[in-house]
Amino acid sequence: MSIRVEGVTKLYGDQVALNGVSFSIPSNQVVGFLGPNGAGKSTMMKILTDYIPPTSGKAFVDGIDVLLNPIEAKRIIGYLPENNPLYYDFYVKEYLEFVGSIYKVEKLKARVAEVIDITGIGYEQNKKIGSLSKGYKQRVGLAQALVHNPSVLILDEPTSGLDPNQIVEIRSLIEQIGREKTVMLSTHIMQEVEAICQNIIIIDKGDIVANGSTKEIASLA
Ligand code: ADP
Ligand code: ADP
């Protein structure tokens, strides 16, 4: 299992954001993490990517305990947060080299060229990030998440705020990336899951309410 979450509870004061959540995600699948606003999706993703510790419970990525070994876990996780902060004054290629250098990526220039190719931003690589459309900014975000060649990608609402054409393009890019990596993608849109996710985990008010193949769950809905 690429991602394994066991009994994770997260309280913010009295507010229960996650209520003893357990699930696992097998390798090399695109799994949708579906739920309405406030369901607990971002909180779960932040726990996996080590931004916040849970109140209780355990989380593993490729067998590594993300709470006990956060630095090791980060090496195998690529994370694209919701409203990913980008440095608008950086040039695209320069920015990706900067991020890669933080991760001490080997053969950095070659790897950056590779992720530029994968995410289709060759024409934009020498432009300033601030000058790009939202769709292309999101491609830079995906390139940034991929630069250290993680085996697991965690994408928080990756198509939110994009226009319909950009949504189609970003979905197809994620689908392509998902052929070689484990992808956990959060969304509040069922059609997004139906379009690109083999499996689906549905969360509502901090509880997992369904977990299975998208086909099965879509047929019940
Ligand atoms: P989603 O990503 O599904 O929209 P979140 O994980 O952002 O859900 O939020 C889950 C619940 O936790 C919500 O009720 C939200 O208001 C609350 N919450 C999230 N972050 C914080 C925080 N930093 N402080 C207090 N409450 C929070
Ligand atoms: P659009 O896709 O409609 O062009 P953007 O993603 O470019 O929208 O802009 C999103 C937000 O970022 C806007 O509020 C915009 O003013 C701001 N922004 C765009 N470029 C820069 C920049 N170089 N520096 C700071 N903020 C910027």
Side-chain angles (χ1 to χ4, degrees):
M1 290 295 167
S2 243
I3 299 178
R4 193 154 50 88
V5 169
E6 293 175 358
V8 165
T9 290
K10 177 68 186 179
L11 307 175
Y12 292 108
D14 303 338
Q15 171 78 37
V16 181
L18 296 169
N19 184 24
V21 164
S22 299
F23 62 85
S24 43
I25 293 181
S27 302
N28 297 324
Q29 279 198 2
V30 181
V31 173
F33 195 42
L34 179 74
N37 270 334
K41 304 185 294 298
S42 292
T43 300
M44 188 65 244
M45 288 180 151
K46 285 179 194 159
I47 289 170
L48 285 168
T49 55
D50 181 50
Y51 280 72
I52 55 166
T55 307
S56 59
K58 285 184 168 294
F60 303 87
V61 175
D62 277 354
I64 296 169
D65 187 321
V66 301
L67 305 164
L68 293 180
N69 301 300
I71 294 169
E72 208 184 323
K74 265 184 191 180
R75 258 188 240 133
I76 53 173
I77 301 172
Y79 175 45
L80 181 56
E82 202 179 2
N83 308 314
N84 182 39
L86 286 168
Y87 294 88
Y88 282 139
D89 285 330
F90 271 82
Y91 296 93
V92 169
K93 189 169 71 177
E94 180 192 46
Y95 178 67
L96 294 172
E97 287 174 359
F98 166 68
V99 174
S101 71
I102 295 172
Y103 281 99
K104 301 189 170 71
V105 169
E106 284 173 32
K107 302 192 181 109
L108 180 58
K109 294 214 171 196
R111 179 59 189 163
V112 167
E114 213 165 63
V115 296
I116 284 174
D117 185 44
I118 293 167
T119 55
I121 51 177
Y123 183 68
E124 285 72 25
Q125 63 180 311
N126 295 314
K127 294 184 179 167
K128 276 198 175 179
I129 292 172
S131 75
L132 304 180
S133 70
K134 278 188 184 165
Y136 275 90
K137 286 189 181 113
Q138 199 61 333
R139 286 173 189 258
V140 174
L142 282 169
Q144 168 192 345
L146 285 169
V147 76
H148 59 300
N149 202 12
S151 56
V152 174
L153 261 193
I154 295 185
L155 310 176
D156 197 351
E157 305 245 4
T159 62
S160 96
L162 303 183
D163 70 33
N165 283 335
Q166 295 169 339
I167 289 176
V168 171
E169 287 178 7
I170 294 292
R171 281 183 188 165
S172 109
L173 185 52
I174 292 168
E175 209 179 6
Q176 222 176 298
I177 293 167
R179 292 192 197 123
E180 292 175 12
K181 301 201 183 284
T182 307
V183 179
M184 179 181 184
L185 168 151
S186 76
T187 178
H188 55 272
I189 307 165
M190 182 63 182
Q191 291 94 301
E192 181 139 311
V193 173
E194 288 183 297
I196 58 175
C197 304
Q198 291 101 324
N199 284 300
I200 177 176
I201 297 167
I202 304 182
I203 183 166
D204 189 22
K205 299 190 184 84
D207 285 307
I208 303 295
V209 296
N211 183 348
S213 86
T214 304
K215 266 191 198 140
E216 265 168 35
I217 289 171
S219 74
L220 298 175

